[in-house]
Amino acid sequence: MHPIGEVARRSGVTIETIRYYEREGVVPLPDRSASGRRLYDSAGIARLRFVKRCRDLGFPIEDIRALLALSKGDSKACSDVKLIGERHLRDVRDKIADLTRLEAALADLVAECDEQRPHCPVLRQLFAD
Amino acid sequence: MHPIGEVARRSGVTIETIRYYEREGVVPLPDRSASGRRLYDSAGIARLRFVKRCRDLGFPIEDIRALLALSKGDSKACSDVKLIGERHLRDVRDKIADLTRLEAALADLVAECDEQRPHCPVLRQLFAD
DNA sequence: CCTTGCTTCTGTAGTCGCTACAGGATGCAT
DNA sequence: ATGCATCCTGTAGCGACTACAGAAGCAAGG
């Protein structure tokens, strides 16, 4: 059984975030020592690693909750995981598309400022009706 | 002079967000009617439109504050606007790059789930050491 | 004038996912 | 015992909103 500091180092999740995940019910309450310190077994560490990887992939907490539930062994797991993954992939692709459009608009706008001018074309455009 | 509801419709910024911007000092305090209702002139409406456009382009509030200050007429305005714009453009490009990497990792992962399996390869990978 | 329905006000709290204290207790090595 | 590191709970804050609750104001219609 391992204290939270060691678990933080081994999982890559900060102590404060581990406590946050516990409060939010993302991970179960760990065992405690006689003095009240959190003690995690290897399954607890693996679970936090899982959560970290999912967060790194941009899955929201709610999806991670669902994935963890699915990981508890059920014959439909893989197709459900695929549903969650594909929806998230779509979200990511949408976001990339949005940002790409935004980038183009911004690049055009910024290109109009190329010297010191009393009447900035960018500001004029942003103020236009 | 126009009440907040009309200004919200004409600027595209919600009533609540207008009040938020006022609280945050993004836009100046408007005049008030005898009964305390906010009244905006055309400059106030233009300013909110400006803020909306900047938000749509992803500029953070702090940058918008700076841009509004610059719009008050100063001979260095355009080069300062360019600095703010280019920095933001870099941020957007960084974010696109991050998301593109994430999308690739996610697409690979999701591709591994293609039928009902008791032992999902995705979950296994996310749990791997 | 009264009623009705809509608009507007202030203050407070919440969203998401953390992150950072403050103040106190515990654990371990010297 | 001392000193330092670790850990605890509770609270507040970040950015940019968003959504009430409860009350007051406004304008049109009867």
Side-chain angles (χ1 to χ4, degrees):
Chain A
M1 300 294 268
H2 312 279
I4 196 167
E6 181 184 332
V7 172
R9 282 184 297 274
R10 290 175 62 173
S11 65
V13 184
T14 67
I15 291 172
E16 287 164 331
T17 304
I18 293 172
R19 291 199 285 236
Y20 166 72
Y21 289 154
E22 180 188 307
R23 271 198 315 275
E24 294 293 315
V26 179
V27 295
L29 300 189
D31 291 334
R32 299 279 183 140
S33 67
S35 58
R37 294 185 168 208
R38 292 170 174 79
L39 296 173
Y40 297 86
D41 60 11
S42 59
I45 295 171
R47 204 177 283 120
L48 284 166
R49 277 226 193 86
F50 181 93
V51 174
K52 179 69 163 70
R53 286 202 179 102
C54 291
R55 286 294 304 132
D56 288 344
L57 287 170
F59 283 101
I61 294 282
E62 212 47 54
D63 281 358
I64 298 171
R65 253 194 258 270
L67 290 172
L68 279 171
L70 289 174
S71 75
K72 282 176 186 167
D74 176 75
S75 62
K76 308 175 36 187
C78 210
S79 59
D80 288 337
V81 169
K82 192 174 171 86
L83 283 180
I84 292 171
E86 284 180 337
R87 190 183 59 214
H88 180 49
L89 186 55
R90 271 196 305 276
D91 289 346
V92 171
R93 284 176 172 152
D94 286 347
K95 186 67 191 174
I96 290 172
D98 285 346
L99 282 174
T100 301
R101 278 195 296 272
L102 192 162
E103 189 264 354
L106 200 50
D108 284 348
L109 200 59
V110 170
E112 301 192 38
C113 273
D114 64 357
E115 51 190 281
Q116 303 198 11
R117 296 170 161 171
H119 300 297
C120 178
V122 171
L123 291 175
R124 201 171 52 233
Q125 252 194 92
L126 290 173
F127 266 113
D129 275 329
Chain B
M1 300 293 270
H2 313 279
I4 197 168
E6 182 183 332
V7 171
R9 284 186 294 275
R10 293 174 62 173
S11 64
V13 183
T14 68
I15 290 173
E16 287 165 330
T17 305
I18 293 171
R19 290 199 287 238
Y20 166 72
Y21 290 153
E22 179 188 310
R23 265 194 324 269
E24 294 295 314
V26 180
V27 296
L29 300 188
D31 292 332
R32 298 280 182 137
S33 69
S35 57
R37 291 182 173 213
R38 291 170 173 79
L39 295 172
Y40 297 85
D41 60 12
S42 59
I45 296 171
R47 204 177 283 119
L48 284 167
R49 275 225 194 86
F50 181 94
V51 174
K52 179 70 163 74
R53 286 201 178 101
C54 291
R55 286 298 302 131
D56 288 345
L57 286 170
F59 283 100
I61 294 283
E62 214 44 58
D63 280 357
I64 298 170
R65 253 195 257 273
L67 291 172
L68 279 171
L70 290 173
S71 74
K72 286 176 180 167
D74 176 73
S75 63
K76 310 175 30 183
C78 210
S79 58
D80 288 337
V81 168
K82 190 174 175 85
L83 284 180
I84 292 171
E86 283 178 338
R87 191 182 59 214
H88 179 48
L89 186 55
R90 268 196 307 275
D91 289 346
V92 171
R93 283 176 173 150
D94 287 348
K95 186 65 190 174
I96 291 171
D98 285 347
L99 281 175
T100 301
R101 277 193 296 271
L102 192 162
E103 189 262 355
L106 200 49
D108 285 349
L109 201 59
V110 170
E112 301 192 40
C113 273
D114 64 358
E115 53 189 280
Q116 303 198 14
R117 296 167 164 174
H119 300 296
C120 177
V122 170
L123 291 176
R124 202 172 51 231
Q125 252 193 90
L126 290 172
F127 266 115
D129 274 329

